[in-house]
Amino acid sequence: MEAFPLPRVAMDAADPTAAHLPHRPPTGRPTPERERLLTRALLDLASPEDREPAAHAASLVEYIRLLGGEPAPDAVAVLAGRPPVTAGSGPRAELLRELEEQLGEGPVRDTLAGAPAEEVPLEDAAAARWPRFAARARELGVLLVTTVPLADVAYGGSPDAAEGAQPGPPLGALVLYHDVATPQPAGGSAPVPALAGAAALHLRHRRTRDHARQLEQALRSRIVIEQAKGVLAERFGCPTDGAFAELRRYARAHQRNLHDLARSVVDGTAPPPFRKPAGGSS
């Protein structure tokens, strides 16, 4: 089977939200430096500002590397979409993601399919669930996998969600690969779920914004189409429904965009079947 073409994601030095991340803060008890970094990470990941999905995934992975535990785990973040956007913390994480696609099994695939957050030792449980993936991961030194769905916070992931609401499909998946069977939380805290939640909040905001833009575009298109129907109905003395039927028929027959055709009727540049007659008054 051909290898999965994994995108190579790098931190963009021109992106002020992703570049110049600090070095990994000291381990042990929580420190002001670590708390400041965690605060910065949460604000950065949850920011509603526009950001390329690849940069967002890369930022999440980098913050996990800095704050995710001891020793620092490898990590891969996959944002759902067509195609999905993937960022890995290094060659091993990227290789494990490629292996999942080649083998058709593994933690990222299960998490994107709706599996809950969990820690899976590769010595036992995973051997039954992902036998081929677990074997290859162990060869690469991975003893434990942590999975965290990037939950759609509008469905069940929010305290304000309606009681009994069913979670929607995850917006992405975060998977950590540990070299130890029992990783220690970094700095006395476990920020991974919080980081994943902040990243999901940004994704939900982006999806809501994109949906609003689509609705606005559809409304504008509908207004133009209604204007064109009125123009043609008056020009040719036909019902508006008949005018719309002719517009749609012509658009399909000539592979024209219906909105663009309607716009041409309104601005007077329509093709001959809909053009104002020479010397006409409308």
Side-chain angles (χ1 to χ4, degrees):
M1 183 179 297
E2 295 184 0
F4 178 74
L6 182 75
R8 303 296 178 181
V9 180
M11 302 299 289
D12 183 358
D15 180 359
T17 65
H20 311 303
L21 288 173
H23 295 295
R24 186 175 179 84
T27 61
R29 293 181 300 174
T31 64
E33 181 183 356
R34 182 176 293 279
E35 294 303 316
R36 284 194 296 269
L37 176 56
L38 178 56
T39 299
R40 174 183 173 183
L42 295 175
L43 292 174
D44 181 16
L45 292 173
S47 171
E49 296 180 1
D50 275 330
R51 177 184 300 175
E52 288 297 321
H56 187 59
S59 292
L60 174 58
V61 165
E62 183 66 3
Y63 284 126
I64 291 295
R65 184 186 68 80
L66 293 169
L67 293 162
E70 298 299 336
D74 276 346
V76 64
V78 181
L79 309 186
R82 296 183 180 179
V85 173
T86 300
S89 61
R92 185 173 68 168
E94 295 172 354
L95 176 58
L96 288 166
R97 175 64 179 139
E98 291 177 357
L99 285 173
E100 280 205 43
E101 292 304 309
Q102 294 175 24
L103 300 174
E105 63 180 39
V108 171
R109 294 173 65 91
D110 282 8
T111 305
L112 289 175
E118 58 184 333
E119 288 190 344
V120 184
L122 295 190
E123 294 296 337
D124 40 59
R129 293 170 57 185
W130 320 309
R132 293 174 297 168
F133 174 82
R136 296 295 301 276
R138 287 198 303 269
E139 291 175 0
L140 295 173
V142 178
L143 300 181
L144 178 75
V145 169
T146 299
T147 67
V148 184
L150 303 184
D152 189 339
V153 294
Y155 298 95
S158 165
D160 298 326
E163 184 175 355
Q166 294 298 314
L171 303 175
L174 173 66
V175 175
L176 280 56
Y177 308 103
H178 303 279
D179 294 332
V180 294
T182 309
Q184 297 300 311
S189 62
V192 170
L195 294 171
L201 186 62
H202 169 86
L203 295 174
R204 177 60 190 173
H205 180 87
R206 182 185 185 93
R207 178 173 291 187
T208 300
R209 183 178 61 241
D210 290 347
H211 183 58
R213 288 172 177 169
Q214 292 170 4
L215 290 177
E216 182 179 6
Q217 182 178 5
L219 177 60
R220 290 177 177 174
S221 178
R222 174 52 58 186
I223 290 173
V224 170
I225 290 172
E226 291 298 324
Q227 291 174 334
K229 287 165 57 177
V231 169
L232 294 179
E234 181 179 358
R235 180 173 297 165
F236 299 113
C238 65
T240 56
D241 288 347
F244 177 70
E246 285 302 310
L247 274 174
R248 184 169 57 184
R249 181 198 60 78
Y250 186 93
R252 289 176 175 174
H254 294 81
Q255 297 183 338
R256 289 283 302 272
N257 178 274
L258 181 60
H259 173 269
D260 292 344
L261 180 60
R263 171 61 67 185
S264 71
V265 170
V266 174
D267 64 21
T269 61
F274 306 111
R275 189 171 299 168
K276 184 172 94 171
S281 59
S282 61

